Amino acid sequence: MRNDELVNSLFFEVCTNSSMKAYEALYKMLYDRLVHFTAAIAGSFQLGEEIVSDVFVALWQKRQQLTSVKNPGVYIYVCARNASLNALQQRKVQNISFENLDVDALAIIPDIEE
């Protein structure tokens, strides 16, 4: 099973059956990459960890409303990106230099067209 198919399958199990086992597997599968992704945006590894935890808590809380999500991998990355940008705004960091962003970490976001 391909990685994105596994993400889809686990996400579906979480949303339709409230499977804690699938939730934990999805979390473990995506955690490291999401932390690097969010840390690249937020500028802090610790903040990246907090953001990823918050994204997964929100996913669990809204799981029954997410059954119609077509591409769960992209959905989770978009949630993580938005949460990272919100965290930046809350920290009142208005000017972000593109030179400070980790371009390699940003490149791991799934292609939306896939």
Side-chain angles (χ1 to χ4, degrees):
M1 186 177 285
R2 290 182 32 217
N3 198 28
D4 55 337
E5 291 172 349
L6 183 55
V7 168
N8 293 351
S9 175
L10 292 170
F11 188 87
F12 180 77
E13 278 296 310
V14 169
C15 294
T16 58
N17 299 325
S18 295
S19 170
M20 183 57 77
K21 187 175 181 178
Y23 176 79
E24 290 171 359
L26 185 64
Y27 181 84
K28 288 176 184 176
M29 182 178 184
L30 298 177
Y31 180 80
D32 288 337
R33 294 182 78 191
L34 280 172
V35 167
H36 284 92
F37 176 69
T38 56
I41 296 170
S44 163
F45 190 77
Q46 182 180 7
L47 185 55
E49 291 177 319
E50 290 175 27
I51 291 167
V52 172
S53 293
D54 291 346
V55 166
F56 273 92
V57 167
L59 186 150
W60 181 258
Q61 291 172 337
K62 297 178 184 178
R63 67 190 178 277
Q64 295 172 335
Q65 301 163 11
L66 301 176
T67 56
S68 63
V69 171
K70 299 284 187 238
N71 194 331
V74 170
Y75 175 81
I76 292 169
Y77 270 88
V78 168
C79 289
R81 181 201 63 198
N82 292 345
S84 299
L85 294 174
N86 288 341
L88 277 178
Q89 189 174 27
Q90 289 173 356
R91 291 175 62 196
K92 299 195 185 324
V93 177
Q94 298 298 324
N95 297 324
I96 303 169
S97 171
F98 287 110
E99 292 148 7
N100 292 339
L101 292 177
D102 185 348
V103 178
D104 292 333
L106 294 175
I108 65 172
I109 188 168
D111 186 3
I112 292 173
E113 293 185 13
E114 287 181 9

